[in-house]
Amino acid sequence: YADIAMYNAKADGRDNFSFFTQSLNTKIHNEVDIINDMQRAFYDNEFKLYYQPKVDAKSKKIVGAEALLRWIHHEKGLIGPDVFIPISESTGFMLSLGKFVIQESSLAIRRFSDLGYNGLKVSINISTRQFQNTDLYQDLKEELSKNDVDPKQLGIEITESIMMQHIKKTLTTLQEIKNLGVSIYIDDFGTGYSSLSYLKKFPIDTLKIDKSFVDDISEVGNNDEILLNTILAMGKSLGLDVVAEGVEHEYQYSYLKEHGCEIIQGYYFAKPMPEEEFIKLLHEEHL
Ligand code: C2E
Ligand code: MG
Ligand code: MG
Ligand code: MG
């Protein structure tokens, strides 16, 4: 087949084959560069947590935030998690980053509480590898108690795929974490495979509806919201809270509020921001 591909490329008058290998090489080089640079960046404190407000739909008050990793590179500027999380996950560096996120979020919650915001809930994302290869329960417990943080102020966001792997062990871990007082969110809900019976069996507090379902809300009323409505109904009947993520427009916000979604996260209210900016926003009381 390689021969045929070469032949076609040549017949085309272009050297597609060498073009392909060259771009693959560039990609591998970039990844090696990033991997090496990540270690340095970690010790140079270039990784930071940004906070995106979660807003109560009715009062428009900030009730919490999602902590999201950013790499503030001294030369390249801001690098988003879509660039460095997949590489970190494949090299194991994610375990260091994951631990860092637990430490930093605990410290931040401590600071928020000291400013009087002790009802605020902060959620952190947990990668598959971190969930499976670390003692998450122990790590959370240690950091929370070290910083004298009320576990009720912390939540973890996991995906459906984490939930559906090594089911027995996952269930045990989640139960321990839940007993500690930490909340459990299912992230990007609706994009993976999780059976209804597991949703019931697992100690889940909140479904985070994936942005793709929020995008189905149409401005003109085309009734494209069937899946969204199903998820909202499912949350209600299972007694789970529902957060919508990726809300960008007023009409999406209105629709969600009118259909019983209580908590909203998205650019419509605010983008992820550095801690100082988030604190300023908290002082403003509501959005
Ligand atoms: P996620 O956990 O589903 O986070 C939501 C993503 O949607 C964030 O992207 C957020 O900035 C973005 N977002 C929020 N509102 C809107 C909106 O209205 N419109 C649009 N277009 N986007 C919106 P971000 O920060 O780039 O993070 C991407 C993904 O990287 C996260 O998806 C999460 O899976 C992963 N990630 C980020 N931080 C961490 C971390 O600390 N640990 C782990 N394991 N994963 C992380
Ligand atoms: Mg998340
Ligand atoms: Mg999400
Ligand atoms: Mg996502």
Side-chain angles (χ1 to χ4, degrees):
Y1 290 113
D3 282 343
I4 294 168
M6 284 288 276
Y7 173 80
N8 283 339
K10 297 284 185 209
D12 236 26
R14 285 178 287 124
D15 205 347
N16 284 345
F17 185 73
S18 77
F19 175 74
F20 170 73
T21 50
Q22 204 187 336
S23 68
L24 193 67
N25 262 329
T26 312
K27 193 175 171 217
I28 291 165
H29 271 291
N30 282 343
E31 290 198 359
V32 172
D33 287 348
I34 292 175
I35 290 165
N36 291 332
D37 206 25
M38 277 192 307
Q39 302 282 352
R40 175 204 57 76
F42 192 66
Y43 294 105
D44 287 349
N45 295 314
E46 289 185 357
F47 289 98
K48 300 272 180 242
L49 282 181
Y50 272 34
Y51 296 87
Q52 184 178 33
K54 291 184 192 168
V55 179
D56 177 88
K58 283 192 192 125
S59 67
K60 295 191 177 181
K61 282 192 172 151
I62 298 172
V63 291
E66 177 174 7
L68 294 155
L69 263 175
R70 297 289 180 268
W71 180 357
I72 319 290
H73 196 283
H74 63 290
E75 281 169 353
K76 297 174 185 161
L78 195 141
I79 303 175
D82 289 336
V83 174
F84 63 83
I85 296 265
I87 301 176
S88 305
E89 187 74 342
S90 67
T91 57
F93 183 66
M94 195 63 228
L95 301 186
S96 308
L97 272 184
K99 187 105 196 226
F100 168 80
V101 169
I102 295 173
Q103 289 166 346
E104 283 302 301
S105 58
S106 300
L107 286 166
I109 296 172
R110 180 72 263 146
R111 289 188 284 268
F112 299 146
S113 294
D114 291 343
L115 289 169
Y117 302 107
N118 46 19
L120 202 73
K121 287 191 78 153
V122 173
S123 60
I124 58 174
N125 293 281
I126 305 294
S127 84
T128 306
R129 189 138 174 191
Q130 184 184 8
F131 192 89
Q132 279 157 5
N133 298 0
T134 65
D135 192 342
L136 189 59
Y137 165 70
Q138 207 55 43
D139 289 348
L140 291 170
K141 195 175 141 182
E142 257 176 53
E143 281 311 314
L144 290 171
S145 74
K146 196 201 285 177
N147 298 306
D148 194 23
V149 166
D150 181 356
K152 289 197 175 57
Q153 286 194 264
L154 183 71
I156 58 165
E157 300 195 2
I158 60 168
T159 57
E160 290 168 273
S161 65
I162 290 183
M163 213 172 68
M164 300 311 287
Q165 288 167 35
H166 313 292
I167 289 169
K168 249 192 163 154
K169 187 173 172 275
T170 300
L171 184 56
T172 310
T173 305
L174 290 179
Q175 258 153 2
E176 283 177 328
I177 292 171
K178 172 79 181 175
N179 289 341
L180 189 62
V182 171
S183 306
I184 294 160
Y185 300 72
I186 304 299
D187 205 354
D188 306 336
F189 185 74
T191 61
Y193 297 92
S194 52
S195 84
L196 272 178
S197 62
Y198 285 123
L199 281 182
K200 214 178 142 196
K201 188 152 42 172
F202 280 61
I204 297 159
D205 297 278
T206 304
L207 302 179
K208 290 194 79 179
I209 304 179
D210 190 68
K211 181 180 189 304
S212 56
F213 302 103
V214 173
D215 289 340
D216 284 342
I217 300 172
S218 84
E219 200 171 359
V220 289
N222 281 338
N223 295 322
D224 284 337
E225 301 91 359
I226 298 171
L227 294 172
L228 174 70
N229 292 341
T230 305
I231 295 172
L232 287 169
M234 197 188 288
K236 197 166 210 175
S237 59
L238 289 167
L240 304 174
D241 293 331
V242 179
V243 177
E245 63 179 351
V247 178
E248 294 180 344
H249 305 287
E250 203 279 333
Y251 64 85
Q252 294 173 328
Y253 158 69
S254 304
Y255 185 96
L256 287 159
K257 184 176 70 168
E258 275 153 32
H259 289 79
C261 180
E262 281 157 356
I263 298 176
I264 308 285
Q265 182 185 343
Y267 295 175
Y268 174 62
F269 283 112
K271 289 190 173 178
M273 62 190 85
E275 185 176 327
E276 316 82 70
E277 264 177 61
F278 178 64
I279 289 172
K280 266 186 221 152
L281 215 55
L282 286 173
H283 291 328
E284 288 169 20
E285 190 93 0
H286 59 79
L287 293 168

